[in-house]
Amino acid sequence: MARARDTDACPGALQVHQAADGALVRVRLPGGMIDAAQLSALASVSERLGSGTLELTARGNVQLRAISDVTAAAEAIADAGLLPSATHERVRNIVASPLSGRIDGRADVRVWVRELDGVIRADPGLAELGGRFWFSLDDGRADVSGLGADAGVHVFEDGCGLLLAGRDTGVRVPPEDAVAALTAIAMRFVDLRGKAWRVSELDDATALWPGAKLGAGFPVVTRPQLGWITQNDGRIALGAAVPLGVLPARVAEYLAAIEAPLVVTPWRSVLVCDLEVEVADVALRVLAPLGLVFDEHSPWLSVSACTGSPGCGQSAADVRADAAGLLDADSAVHRHFVGCERACGSPATGEVLVATGDGYRPLRK
């Protein structure tokens, strides 16, 4: 479907979305990476100026709702180092294998995240990508390639494969050329897109790269890695799912207090990384009672929801409350509850249930 607007309406930290509950700010975190001080800063902004919660998105970003002073929020976000470019802030959409460089994988893609982010910000033309266009960097474990990014790299044994709309093109490039290839695809998309937001909306996506042929996609990973995760270097990463992606600012402060590197994943979870065993043990004991989910069998992993009422004026129900009330520990199918047929935030697989005003009906099975 072609976009209805000629201008990019995707929210950021400077151009915000006016929702029913106030201004919505979206902060891009390339690769989901954020340090403790930055997370603490976002928690403070939410507590002082907003709803007191942080929302984790399916692109590994963070949203702040009900912001009363957009200028003050943007200044605080910039002071935390989370707004390095006013012109490109909404196009820094990079998802990467969250455990890359720490556990297995064929390459450490974290360096590519930083390089790609720098290249995006340095090119004036790439500010025209739009806030919906996003990149994926998969280190070969096939965790993010199946999420369907517009342009991606997947590390195969025979080189780095270029992906378009989440599908293998059959093109292989050397690792040192991976970022340049993604940048070239993005530049070509800007030239060709017309009214398209996404690569999948183009009449011929293969026009973005000479010799590209759209092959098979990748399995969709629907759940994060949780609990006690032993890194290759012997240190520990703790994986914590955030129910419905809503992280109370107070809990975010506890996470920040550990003073460890953090990664927000596309599955609305948080990784607390590089912990010594003793520190990880204490952190787990403190964090578990705060509502974070460390159990891979938790029913919270089988349910998600859009914002719903009262935050969204289009919604026919408080879908988050309904989703929480309809947890099913035995459900084998992920269920996503939405307040209207726009079905915001719907995952690539599973059942989507749309509110009707007196219940829910399947929008997609």
Side-chain angles (χ1 to χ4, degrees), residues 41-65:
L42 292 183
S44 176
V45 170
S46 184
E47 287 179 323
R48 292 185 294 107
L49 305 172
S51 65
T53 61
L54 286 68
E55 294 183 345
L56 312 187
T57 78
R59 301 290 177 263
N61 297 318
V62 172
Q63 294 183 163
L64 308 178
R65 301 195 70 88

Side-chain angles (χ1 to χ4, degrees), residues 39 56 226-227 238-243 245-248 250-256 258 262 268-272 283-284 286-295 298 300-301:
L39 181 62
L56 312 187
L226 300 181
L238 296 177
V242 177
V246 181
L247 179 67
R250 180 180 65 89
V251 179
E253 289 285 11
Y254 275 95
L255 286 166
I258 302 171
L262 300 150
R268 297 181 173 88
S269 70
V270 178
L271 291 167
V272 188
L284 186 59
V286 171
L287 296 173
L290 298 178
L292 297 175
V293 175
F294 295 91
D295 180 7
S298 170
W300 282 114
L301 302 182

Side-chain angles (χ1 to χ4, degrees), residues 195-214:
K195 290 184 174 295
W197 281 111
R198 306 288 310 278
V199 166
S200 60
E201 297 167 3
L202 296 176
D203 291 334
D204 181 13
T206 62
L208 296 173
W209 189 272
K213 297 180 180 180
L214 295 186

Side-chain angles (χ1 to χ4, degrees), residues 226-230 236-239 276-278 280-281 284 294:
L226 300 181
W228 187 277
I229 306 167
T230 303
I236 304 301
L238 296 177
E276 300 299 333
V277 172
E278 297 78 7
D281 184 63
L284 186 59
F294 295 91

Side-chain angles (χ1 to χ4, degrees), residues 220 222 332-336 347-353 363-365:
V220 180
T222 60
V333 177
H334 186 95
R335 296 178 298 161
H336 183 70
T349 60
E351 187 176 23
V352 177
L353 301 171
L363 184 63
R364 183 192 78 196
K365 288 188 177 181

Side-chain angles (χ1 to χ4, degrees), residues 18 32 46 84 117 136 168 175 210-211 226 236 317-318 322 331 359:
Q18 292 297 332
S46 184
D117 184 33
S136 66
D168 186 11
L226 300 181
I236 304 301
D318 185 347
D322 291 344
S331 177

Side-chain angles (χ1 to χ4, degrees), residues 1-339:
M1 180 184 297
R3 58 179 176 166
R5 296 186 180 93
D6 289 328
T7 57
D8 183 11
C10 232
L14 298 177
Q15 177 179 299
V16 303
H17 170 65
Q18 292 297 332
D21 57 351
L24 169 67
V25 168
R26 183 176 298 160
V27 182
R28 266 63 176 189
L29 304 178
M33 294 182 285
I34 184 171
D35 65 34
Q38 291 170 333
L39 181 62
S40 181
L42 292 183
S44 176
V45 170
S46 184
E47 287 179 323
R48 292 185 294 107
L49 305 172
S51 65
T53 61
L54 286 68
E55 294 183 345
L56 312 187
T57 78
R59 301 290 177 263
N61 297 318
V62 172
Q63 294 183 163
L64 308 178
R65 301 195 70 88
I67 296 297
S68 59
D69 189 332
V70 173
T71 300
E75 290 175 350
I77 292 167
D79 289 344
L82 292 167
L83 188 55
S85 171
T87 55
H88 291 66
E89 59 126 350
R90 290 177 296 158
V91 301
R92 302 169 61 232
N93 297 303
I94 305 171
V95 172
S97 298
L99 286 167
S100 188
R102 291 187 168 97
I103 299 176
D104 302 332
R106 296 192 179 107
D108 185 349
V109 301
R110 291 176 295 178
V111 64
W112 295 347
V113 171
R114 300 183 184 96
E115 183 183 351
L116 179 58
D117 184 33
V119 171
I120 290 170
R121 290 187 279 113
D123 191 309
L126 292 182
E128 302 301 319
L129 274 176
R132 296 185 184 182
F133 189 100
W134 62 288
F135 302 88
S136 66
L137 297 167
D138 194 305
D139 66 5
R141 73 185 70 222
D143 55 354
V144 299
S145 287
L147 300 179
D150 294 281
V153 164
H154 186 100
V155 183
F156 293 98
E157 291 183 357
D158 62 344
C160 295
L162 296 185
L163 312 185
L164 292 173
R167 296 168 66 183
D168 186 11
T169 63
V171 176
R172 301 291 182 264
V173 298
E176 61 270 21
D177 294 338
V179 169
L182 290 177
T183 306
I185 290 171
M187 290 176 174
R188 183 66 172 156
F189 177 78
V190 170
D191 291 338
L192 294 179
R193 73 177 191 174
K195 290 184 174 295
W197 281 111
R198 306 288 310 278
V199 166
S200 60
E201 297 167 3
L202 296 176
D203 291 334
D204 181 13
T206 62
L208 296 173
W209 189 272
K213 297 180 180 180
L214 295 186
F218 293 79
V220 180
V221 174
T222 60
R223 295 190 175 205
Q225 193 166 348
L226 300 181
W228 187 277
I229 306 167
T230 303
Q231 300 179 180
N232 290 344
D233 62 6
R235 292 184 293 179
I236 304 301
L238 296 177
V242 177
L244 301 178
V246 181
L247 179 67
R250 180 180 65 89
V251 179
E253 289 285 11
Y254 275 95
L255 286 166
I258 302 171
E259 296 187 340
L262 300 150
V263 181
V264 176
T265 82
W267 305 282
R268 297 181 173 88
S269 70
V270 178
L271 291 167
V272 188
C273 304
D274 302 343
L275 302 175
E276 300 299 333
V277 172
E278 297 78 7
V279 175
D281 184 63
V282 173
L284 186 59
R285 293 174 186 272
V286 171
L287 296 173
L290 298 178
L292 297 175
V293 175
F294 295 91
D295 180 7
E296 62 182 11
H297 301 294
S298 170
W300 282 114
L301 302 182
S302 296
V303 65
S304 58
C306 70
T307 297
S309 301
C312 177
Q314 302 294 321
S315 179
D318 185 347
V319 295
R320 284 177 173 166
D322 291 344
L326 294 170
L327 290 180
D328 182 358
D330 298 322
S331 177
V333 177
H334 186 95
R335 296 178 298 161
H336 183 70
F337 292 78
V338 296

